Amino acid sequence: MANLFKNNWFLVCAFSLVFVSCMRSGSQLVIDPENAGLVLPDGFGALKVADSTGTARHLVVNAKGDVFVKLQEPVDGNGIIMLSDADGDGRADAQTGFGNYGGTGIFIKDGFLYASSNSAVFRYALGDDGRVTHPLKPDTVVTGLIDRRQHNSKSIALDDAGHIYVNIGAYSNVCQEQDRAPGSPGIRPCPILDSAGGIWQFRADGIKQSYGDGERYATGLRNVVGLDWNQQAGALFVMQHGRDNLHDFYPDLVGAEAGIDLPAEAMYRLSQGADAGWPYSYYDQHQRKNIINPEYGGDGKMETQSDVLDPVVAFPGHTAPNALLFYTGDMFPDRYKNGAFVALHGSWNRAPDQQGYLVAFVPFTNGEPSGDWEVFADGFAGVDTIPAPSDAKHRPCGLAQGPDGSLYISDSVNGTIYRIVYTNGN
């Protein structure tokens, strides 16, 4: 009987009536009914790996399939949760934790787990099993980063040359004399840019580095929560959160409808010394121009004359791109290879026309976008009308790729961890 089952394993998988997807490794993943509430392209399925983990932000998966989730706020003293799946059904059956700090950033590279608080970056050695060897004794890689509560997440990415890149968001909307006050002029030069509003580069193997040990790699970025290193391009790509209150503060210059959608949430390809224009300008995806902000004398049409970086992709305004992942796996169809997944978290400043609450996909070829962005995974919000972000049942926040090529997504509302696999309809 055992030999009969072994010889007919593929047929059993293909014709199972319990939503079973058979993976290349031979293990079985039970796909949730109705894909756990998600709307996916044909041929894809989804399941919940875990639920109620906490305020889940970014996440990573080690080579053994264990999932590390960074929490914005620690739960029972643990700011990093590790989820393990011993029986191979895709669902976590063990949960442990460590790291007594909240935050967003988490990354695995060259045998180390990197994780950030809102003012520092820590590094944990990984054993042969892919798990942290000394969870109570991390190295402090970077410390003393500014934290003024607004835009304070320190998202991270690493390249292949031993560098770590850290977002240091601007603790301001648009660097006004009085922050978020209608009519208050912008400050020029903006003093925030000396220690925030950009991406800083440090050594990945450094100890207790701070501003004087690193360098400001790129500036003019209001707040970057999602970033990733593109292997094909050999470059860092980031997703910026655009400014708020354009229509609220300047209704004579920016109409209500335009204010809902402006400015664009922009994907940038960065190089050393790049300037994306904040706070002096914003990107208008309809005019396809970098426009001078009203706080600096703009009228909604005046194009900046400075050497400001143009985005490579522009998303609708106030959709809050919180994660960026370049897909390098082999599970998904070829059109997804090396393309970009973006988690759109949704924002308070888009009412009443709320958008986001989905994972988008941008096709790439040879390290450059090769098509328009499209919706990949939807249905997280769980409701048709979303008056405010608090009405969404789930909000996608982090993205990670598993060793088999599946896509993991974290939800910041209930701490749900989703896993998307390609089943080809089986």
Side-chain angles (χ1 to χ4, degrees):
M1 187 68 178
N3 289 334
L4 178 64
F5 178 82
K6 181 177 181 180
N7 293 335
N8 291 280
W9 172 84
F10 188 83
L11 291 177
V12 170
C13 287
F15 293 104
S16 173
L17 298 179
V18 292
F19 303 93
V20 171
S21 170
C22 299
M23 311 307 293
R24 292 184 178 92
S25 65
S27 63
Q28 296 181 355
L29 299 180
V30 181
I31 301 303
D32 285 348
E34 299 182 354
N35 290 326
L38 301 185
V39 179
L40 303 171
D42 291 342
F44 288 88
L47 62 150
K48 290 183 179 180
V49 176
D51 209 348
S52 303
T53 61
T55 51
R57 299 289 286 178
H58 289 177
L59 73 168
V60 289
V61 186
N62 68 15
K64 303 294 186 180
D66 299 313
V67 182
F68 295 90
V69 183
K70 190 72 195 73
L71 302 183
Q72 183 173 324
E73 300 292 341
V75 174
D76 296 330
N78 298 313
I80 302 172
I81 301 298
M82 189 184 80
L83 305 170
S84 302
D85 171 23
D87 59 12
D89 67 351
R91 289 161 178 78
D93 43 41
Q95 175 175 315
T96 56
F98 58 96
N100 61 353
Y101 52 92
T104 292
I106 194 163
F107 206 94
I108 288 179
K109 186 76 172 178
D110 297 334
F112 291 94
L113 174 74
Y114 296 81
S116 67
S117 69
N118 290 332
S119 61
V121 181
F122 305 95
R123 182 182 63 190
Y124 301 82
L126 299 176
D128 292 340
D129 60 359
R131 299 186 177 184
V132 170
T133 55
H134 299 290
L136 299 180
K137 297 180 179 180
D139 294 326
T140 302
V141 178
V142 184
T143 188
L145 302 180
I146 198 163
D147 176 6
R148 298 279 181 85
R149 300 184 64 85
Q150 185 177 180
H151 306 149
N152 61 349
S153 65
K154 302 301 185 288
S155 302
I156 57 176
L158 281 81
D159 63 15
D160 295 323
H163 301 120
I164 184 169
Y165 300 87
V166 185
N167 165 66
I168 306 178
Y171 45 93
S172 168
N173 181 29
V174 65
C175 201
Q176 295 169 276
E177 292 181 2
Q178 184 178 351
D179 191 32
R180 296 184 184 271
S184 179
I187 306 171
R188 186 190 294 272
C190 176
I192 292 172
L193 293 174
D194 66 347
S195 58
I199 303 294
W200 265 254
Q201 181 194 71
F202 299 94
R203 298 189 319 278
D205 62 352
I207 299 296
K208 293 186 177 179
Q209 303 166 94
S210 197
Y211 287 101
D213 306 294
E215 63 177 303
R216 186 175 60 182
Y217 187 78
T219 191
L221 292 158
R222 177 177 177 267
N223 188 33
V224 168
V225 185
L227 69 167
D228 197 16
W229 186 261
N230 184 305
Q231 297 288 340
Q232 281 197 323
L236 182 69
F237 284 69
V238 303
M239 296 295 314
Q240 177 179 230
H241 285 216
R243 63 157 297 168
D244 300 321
N245 304 119
L246 264 175
H247 168 70
D248 302 339
F249 292 175
Y250 304 97
D252 294 339
L253 301 179
V254 181
E257 185 174 348
I260 289 172
D261 203 42
L262 291 176
E265 308 283 45
M267 178 191 292
Y268 293 101
R269 172 178 172 159
L270 299 184
S271 58
Q272 191 168 12
D275 184 352
W278 185 90
Y280 312 117
S281 64
Y282 64 88
Y283 188 75
D284 184 321
Q285 68 270 36
H286 304 295
Q287 299 185 65
R288 298 185 179 182
K289 296 178 180 179
N290 285 297
I291 302 298
I292 298 174
N293 264 314
E295 290 84 357
Y296 294 90
D299 62 358
K301 297 180 181 179
M302 294 171 58
E303 186 175 1
T304 179
Q305 300 302 308
S306 59
D307 188 16
V308 173
L309 188 66
D310 287 327
V312 295
V313 183
F315 289 84
H318 313 298
T319 49
N322 269 15
L324 172 64
L325 173 74
F326 287 101
Y327 182 80
T328 59
D330 295 322
M331 177 190 287
F332 290 6
D334 289 345
R335 70 180 301 267
Y336 293 98
K337 188 80 170 189
N338 298 309
F341 287 101
V342 179
L344 300 177
H345 193 234
S347 169
W348 63 272
N349 196 226
R350 199 185 163 91
D353 181 24
Q354 289 284 346
Q355 290 187 27
Y357 312 94
L358 58 85
V359 173
F361 174 74
V362 183
F364 269 63
T365 302
N366 297 324
E368 297 181 356
S370 55
D372 295 334
W373 73 272
E374 61 196 57
V375 176
F376 175 75
D378 204 350
F380 293 92
V383 291
D384 294 330
T385 302
I386 313 169
S390 59
D391 295 303
K393 295 182 179 179
H394 303 278
R395 301 175 69 187
C397 189
L399 300 169
Q401 181 180 302
D404 64 349
S406 53
L407 179 68
Y408 290 77
I409 305 168
S410 63
D411 150 52
S412 67
V413 177
N414 294 309
T416 303
I417 308 301
Y418 298 90
R419 182 177 178 180
I420 297 180
V421 299
Y422 185 64
T423 67
N424 197 24
N426 291 335

